DNA sequence: CTGTTAGCGCTTTCAG
DNA sequence: CTGAAAGCGCTAACAG
């Protein structure tokens, strides 16, 4: 591959002049510019970005850390990030971690090794303070509440939104309410569980472990949940479900088993994914694409304007009333 | 940020010795190694990967070009790629193009500029020969049939698989068959349309434009399709649908309108996504994750073993009989 | 086993 | 307006 020297030689100019036309820096005589362009064409030359990046100490790449890409929650977040990144000519490094500690640390290390200019955490397993230690190498923004921290964040309050959903069920007369969570120990899941236990306590209902399900992400998981429900002697009359996908699965399987929704079983989903509309599912809107977009902007601002301060932005949630409660 | 020179100085050794311990090259006395490690610790040093990449002419990054991430088709493909990439310590650059020519060319340019070692094309808009011109800069593998070409590929035969699906419908007694396609002019779509027209011709049925739908990717699109169908005077008795999502939408909306599936309307989906199982949808299995995995392996082989030859691998498809035909 | 040194390919002062 | 030269941070061939 030809390099800038070859071009300079062929065009009979210095490398700096070549660099100038490459970058549209200052003025270069039309004549030389032409000769240089021809040389570039002749030798099929392109800049080697690795050299540029080394010199500039900047890569125009931002990493997106997520456990798996195969879920609409993350997919919509990434969509939001991607749209903003495109506007300012940034590339996305997709880092799938499976919530594996080593894989997550590797992303952090990439920041330290200057492979990326910043990173967005969609969901994580490692501790916040492990992450904080890396903010000195570049902006890190999390799509979840991180409290007071050197890590920036965009998030919606999962305690309040779950509280809102459960109160809605209670107001509709439900006392026997089940819960579907994603991870057991995830930060968001913990908030959600707390909202659940607090609200049930407020109406004097006990927590029944057999009404709480974990790892419910996909339609299939919802199907499974309903099957489990069928086995129980006493069943909840309503379910608060962390994912619209899982909620849809519950509805599908409920129909098969002649369980009427919402008469026999009321359901609230989460995220207001497109599938929620199709299923006429009452759900909680979370502004996922906006969250991704804002996450990128916060990171980008810190990269460019050197806005040192971490930024924390809370997004609104909204209960969307449809036909499943 | 400290660099390798700082470490060398602090540890009272040469940079090459530092480099040796960094890379576990040849032997370094235990004593020096220790001092060096301490210096690294003290100065919180990490290699600058940009320098390494410049020197080696290799980035350990592979780009994934796709129109949008927000669809299970691509998501599962990426999942397959990602799993393989992880195994050999490669990173994924996610390049969302929206089928926009400029965006697609930018990915190709990244290859030329050595920002990436290779690329996988999940779906594209630009012409094959534009892409071929870039194979000299690194391996390019497409997840679709590219015929004889310098571009590698993994694909399943969309002509044959659609033919298979439509014949299945015909054998079940259907003559009035509609079609849902993704893009109008996409390479795969053209094959699918041809299979459709050929098969209808074989039973002497005319092509009815109002039975052919485009841009049907998501559940909502399927809902829309059925609504359109309802407006028609004469309706098909069966639909061959490019996406399981769209098929699910059709089924949902059919139920709402008391159209029985399969009695009034038979449906075949495509891809055998998890949703197909939940909807008990007859569909065509395409091995998407495998396709992604193999695409990566082919690219990786060319990067490492310098296997110059482009490789073309055809995957099997399989009709999965369930309850919607 | 260790150090010296020549680059990888580019940008950017600093002179002219 | 243009060129020379000094690096960005690292690796590896070569010499000891």
């Amino acid at each position: 591959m030809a390099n800038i020297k070859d071009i300079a030689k062929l065009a009979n100019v210095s490398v700096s002049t070549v660099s100038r036309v490459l970058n549209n820096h200052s003025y270069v005589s039309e004549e030389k510019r032409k000769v240089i362009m021809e040389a570039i064409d002749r030798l099929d030359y392109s800049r080697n970005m690795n050299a540029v990046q080394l010199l500039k100490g900047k890569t125009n790449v931002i990493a997106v850390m997520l456990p798996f890409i195969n879920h609409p929650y993350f997919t919509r977040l990434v969509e939001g990030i991607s749209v903003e990144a495109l506007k300012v000519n940034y590339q996305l490094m997709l880092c799938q971690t499976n919530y594996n500690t080593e894989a997550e640390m590797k992303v952090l290390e990439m920041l330290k090794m200057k492979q990326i200019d910043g990173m967005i955490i969609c969901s994580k397993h490692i501790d916040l303070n492990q992450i904080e230690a890396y903010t000195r190498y570049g902006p890190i923004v999390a799509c979840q509440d991180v409290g007071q921290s050197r890590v920036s964040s965009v998030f919606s309050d999962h305690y309040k939104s779950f509280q809102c959903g459960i109160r809605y069920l209670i107001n509709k007369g439900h006392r026997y309410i089940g819960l579907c969570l994603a991870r057991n120990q995830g930060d968001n899941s913990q908030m959600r569980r707390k909202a659940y236990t607090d609200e049930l306590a407020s109406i004097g209902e006990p927590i029944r472990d057999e009404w709480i399900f974990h790892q419910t992400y996909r339609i299939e998981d919802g199907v499974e949940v309903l099957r489990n429900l069928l086995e129980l002697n006493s069943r909840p009359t309503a379910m608060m479900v962390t994912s619209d996908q899982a909620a849809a699965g519950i509805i599908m399987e409920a129909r098969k088993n002649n369980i009427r929704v919402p008469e026999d079983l009321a359901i609230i989903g989460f995220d207001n994914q497109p599938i929620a509309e199709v299923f006429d599912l009452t759900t909680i809107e979370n502004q996922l694409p906006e969250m991704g977009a804002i996450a990128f902007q916060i990171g980008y601002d810190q990269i460019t304007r050197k806005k040192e301060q971490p930024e924390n932005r809370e997004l609104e949630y909204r209960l969307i009333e449809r036909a499943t409660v």
Side-chain angles (χ1 to χ4, degrees), chain A residues 197-305:
Chain A
T197 53
D198 287 356
E199 288 311 303
L200 286 209
S202 80
I203 56 167
E205 281 295 328
I207 304 302
R208 278 167 257 218
D209 284 341
E210 68 275 23
W211 289 0
I212 303 182
F213 299 85
H214 295 286
Q215 309 291 345
T216 59
Y217 301 102
R218 304 158 304 161
I219 296 197
E220 316 85 278
D221 299 327
V223 170
E224 199 52 41
V225 166
L226 194 104
R227 287 185 185 154
N228 279 310
L229 245 27
L230 290 176
E231 308 276 299
L232 300 177
N233 291 325
S234 75
R235 301 205 293 246
T237 62
M239 292 292 292
M240 180 76 214
V241 183
T242 296
S243 136
D244 285 341
Q245 266 67 35
I250 294 178
I251 294 172
M252 285 293 291
E253 194 64 14
R255 278 193 194 151
K256 266 195 200 158
N257 291 278
N258 294 317
I259 292 177
R260 293 165 307 162
V261 175
E263 294 82 355
D264 304 328
L265 184 65
I267 297 171
I268 297 186
F270 206 69
D271 290 344
N272 194 28
Q273 307 268 9
I275 198 175
E277 199 175 338
V278 175
F279 275 77
D280 225 342
L281 175 67
T282 295
T283 188
I284 293 172
E285 160 73 54
N286 268 322
Q287 308 193 64
L288 254 12
E290 292 79 3
M291 191 180 289
I294 293 172
F296 180 84
Q297 285 160 1
I298 290 177
Y300 183 69
D301 281 356
Q302 283 182 52
I303 290 169
T304 50
R305 300 199 212 134

Side-chain angles (χ1 to χ4, degrees), chain A residues 11-35:
Chain A
N12 245 311
V13 296
S14 72
V15 289
S16 26
T17 307
V18 178
S19 174
R20 282 185 192 106
V21 340
L22 248 28
N23 297 288
N24 276 320
H25 269 349
S26 69
Y27 292 108
V28 175
S29 73
E30 204 40 60
E31 185 188 17
K32 299 215 172 193
R33 158 171 270 111
K34 207 175 240 169
V35 189

